Amino acid sequence: MIATMLNLNRSDCKALNLNDLYGLHKAIYSLFPAEPGKSRDFLFVDKGGDWNRRHILILSEREPIQPEFGEIVSKKVPDSFLQHDYYGFELALNPTRRDSNTGKIFPVRGRAQLIDWLVEKAPGHGFEVFSQSLQINHIGVVTYQKNGTIRTHNTATFVGTLKVIERAAFVESFQRGIGRAKGFGFGLLQLVPMEAQNNISAS
């Protein structure tokens, strides 16, 4: 896997028309031309910035092409990076549940409900989270226009500590992303390896 930081200045953002989530979606997709028979093979997350700069983190199977606007810095993620047992993490998600009776998808809202949702969801992705370490930022809704219609995504960014419990599933989650709307900047598991956590439990 390849980690890339796309660095944009104010004029780059203006040229790319980064006025909403769909503008960002199109800008990132332009770095990975479609290949016949292949699905999306990259994830990204908007790391923000200030009035003059904006930074987008990208994880991909292949190297992005050189952008028309902005600059990229890429490096290979070593296999050893995913062999630790504990990580600090940050994860922007589109928190939703599917109604088992109707099949409809609805957003998860409320801080306590969001924590319960992630604690419940995490083991299926090869890790468990330390709920007492969790912080939730940027809770809300993002809106954008596509094909003349207004679309929305529920959003919440989780920050905390995790423990790997099933390596293969964890690696898959890192490489493929977690949850819905991954093509719109959700689901990229950002990790910082940590030493063993002897004094906290994952509940």
Side-chain angles (χ1 to χ4, degrees), residues 63-133:
E63 290 195 21
I65 65 172
Q66 287 296 318
E68 182 178 1
F69 302 99
E71 59 181 15
I72 57 174
V73 179
S74 298
K75 63 179 180 180
K76 190 178 185 303
V77 179
D79 293 339
S80 60
F81 180 73
L82 297 175
Q83 298 306 311
H84 299 270
D85 292 326
Y86 295 88
Y87 294 84
F89 75 92
E90 182 171 338
L91 181 59
L93 288 173
N94 170 224
T96 60
R97 290 187 186 274
R98 184 183 295 275
D99 187 287
S100 58
N101 295 318
T102 66
K104 291 183 178 180
I105 297 170
F106 61 94
V108 178
R109 294 197 174 101
R111 197 168 295 270
Q113 289 80 4
L114 286 165
I115 289 175
D116 290 345
W117 175 81
L118 184 60
V119 168
E120 175 187 318
K121 187 179 184 68
H125 292 281
F127 61 92
E128 55 188 5
V129 298
F130 297 96
S131 59
Q132 66 269 42
S133 76

Side-chain angles (χ1 to χ4, degrees), residues 113-168:
Q113 289 80 4
L114 286 165
I115 289 175
D116 290 345
W117 175 81
L118 184 60
V119 168
E120 175 187 318
K121 187 179 184 68
H125 292 281
F127 61 92
E128 55 188 5
V129 298
F130 297 96
S131 59
Q132 66 269 42
S133 76
L134 276 178
Q135 301 176 38
I136 310 178
N137 306 319
H138 310 300
I139 299 173
V141 173
V142 289
T143 302
Y144 61 96
Q145 188 174 75
K146 181 180 179 181
N147 299 329
T149 62
I150 301 298
R151 308 189 183 192
T152 62
H153 289 306
N154 199 42
T155 180
T157 297
F158 298 84
V159 181
T161 306
L162 65 79
K163 176 184 178 181
V164 178
I165 58 174
E166 208 288 294
R167 186 73 58 186

Side-chain angles (χ1 to χ4, degrees), residues 39-57:
S39 57
R40 177 186 46 76
D41 56 359
F42 57 90
L43 303 162
F44 69 93
V45 64
D46 187 355
K47 298 300 293 179
D50 55 28
W51 178 249
N52 293 307
R53 304 289 295 179
R54 191 166 177 180
H55 310 286
I56 316 298
L57 177 63

